[in-house]
Amino acid sequence: MSKSYESFNPRTQYCLDHSTPLNKHVDELMEVSLACKSGQMTGAKGVLQTCATLIEIIQAKNILDIGFFTGVSALTWATIIPEDGKVISMDVDDAPYKIVGKPHIDASGVGHKIDIRIQPALKTLQELIDAGQSGKFDFAFLDASKTEYPSYLASCLQLVRTGGIIAVDNALWDDRVLEKEKDTSTAGVDTLNKMALSNSNVQNVLLPIEDGLHLIVKKC
Ligand SMILES: C[S@@+](CC[C@H](N)C(=O)[O-])C[C@H]1O[C@@H](n2cnc3c(N)ncnc32)[C@H](O)[C@@H]1O
């Protein structure tokens, strides 16, 4: 149990309650997402509030959102970026969007800022690189296949501009990164954490927020 919606902790709740609230359409989408099948994949409030603050700090406009699910993270970013900003969101499965996310995203009035690409994220990232989009993104949020985390990081380090931020969700993976024996998902998360640490071109910090939020700033 590592996400704030999975178990009640008054200290965590106090922090969430004293941080800028999420947009009401995000709150509503979170609620219905948590109630649906695989609802525990929904982004957690502490991660969304932290990333929203970082997006404001760096005045991010163009965002990569890897792992759409019902769209809670994508909608959060779309509510805070400017009118001419874009969130490119990636997933292999569009059913959670069609069944759960779409009505809320349509009602939010910011759905036009979200461009959903339904195919493997690595394919979309490579297409963006091939289309000359390297250095064009301000912020990336990694939250799809854990085994592919190292490859997502490598692609995002190309696609994000100098001074841009790559935020990696589930960087503690329910504390399984601490165990000696690691399955392939845990190994993927652990490898990304070590890749960031050993890269002298980034400044990184792994925060114990929710299920672990690894922040990686591209220095050059
Ligand atoms: C944890 S959920 C994303 C949650 C979302 N970011 C949010 O805040 O609610 C992970 C998503 O990644 C998708 N996914 C898994 N493997 C993928 C891949 N190789 N490429 C793209 N998406 C993938 C899954 O279908 C799932 O919807």
Side-chain angles (χ1 to χ4, degrees), residues 8-24:
F8 181 75
N9 177 317
R11 188 171 184 267
T12 303
Q13 195 58 47
Y14 183 89
C15 294
L16 297 175
D17 290 345
H18 292 78
S19 301
T20 302
L22 300 171
N23 176 284
K24 79 177 174 77

Side-chain angles (χ1 to χ4, degrees), residues 41-43 67-69 72-73 91-92 119-121 141 143-145 148 152:
M41 290 207 292
T42 306
F68 179 84
F69 187 43
V72 167
S73 56
D91 212 295
V92 281
Q119 60 178 3
F141 183 64
D143 193 20
S145 164
E148 293 183 354
Y152 298 155

Side-chain angles (χ1 to χ4, degrees), residues 8-196:
F8 181 75
N9 177 317
R11 188 171 184 267
T12 303
Q13 195 58 47
Y14 183 89
C15 294
L16 297 175
D17 290 345
H18 292 78
S19 301
T20 302
L22 300 171
N23 176 284
K24 79 177 174 77
H25 295 284
V26 175
D27 272 339
E28 287 165 13
L29 179 55
M30 269 191 93
E31 198 178 324
V32 291
S33 302
L34 286 170
C36 77
K37 187 169 162 262
S38 306
Q40 81 292 344
M41 290 207 292
T42 306
K45 252 184 190 165
V47 164
L48 300 169
Q49 288 176 328
T50 304
C51 290
T53 305
L54 292 168
I55 287 168
E56 288 288 0
I57 290 171
I58 65 166
Q59 292 287 286
K61 235 167 105 167
N62 293 308
I63 295 186
L64 297 166
D65 178 73
I66 307 177
F68 179 84
F69 187 43
T70 60
V72 167
S73 56
L75 185 57
T76 302
W77 321 143
T79 60
I80 47 177
I81 58 172
E83 193 51 31
D84 60 342
K86 220 21 157 207
V87 178
I88 297 187
S89 192
M90 301 159 222
D91 212 295
V92 281
D93 181 9
D94 65 356
Y97 165 63
K98 286 183 171 161
I99 300 165
V100 184
K102 191 172 183 313
H104 296 272
I105 291 173
D106 288 349
S108 71
V110 294
H112 59 283
K113 298 185 204 169
I114 305 174
D115 171 359
I116 310 169
R117 313 261 175 114
I118 301 294
Q119 60 178 3
L122 286 175
K123 189 165 189 287
T124 299
L125 293 167
Q126 190 56 50
E127 284 174 0
L128 291 168
I129 292 168
D130 294 344
Q133 294 295 299
S134 293
K136 303 279 194 228
F137 293 87
D138 307 295
F139 188 89
F141 183 64
L142 277 54
D143 193 20
S145 164
K146 306 311 166 203
T147 56
E148 293 183 354
Y149 263 25
S151 306
Y152 298 155
L153 178 59
S155 297
C156 288
L157 282 169
Q158 285 191 64
L159 288 163
V160 166
R161 66 166 166 87
T162 297
I165 298 175
I166 299 166
V168 184
D169 200 5
N170 309 110
L172 295 173
W173 199 225
D174 214 4
D175 290 351
R176 277 170 282 190
V177 290
L178 306 175
E179 290 166 13
K180 205 169 168 199
E181 296 300 322
K182 295 177 177 66
D183 62 18
T184 53
S185 294
T186 311
V189 176
D190 185 53
T191 299
L192 176 145
N193 290 337
K194 290 179 167 58
M195 271 170 74

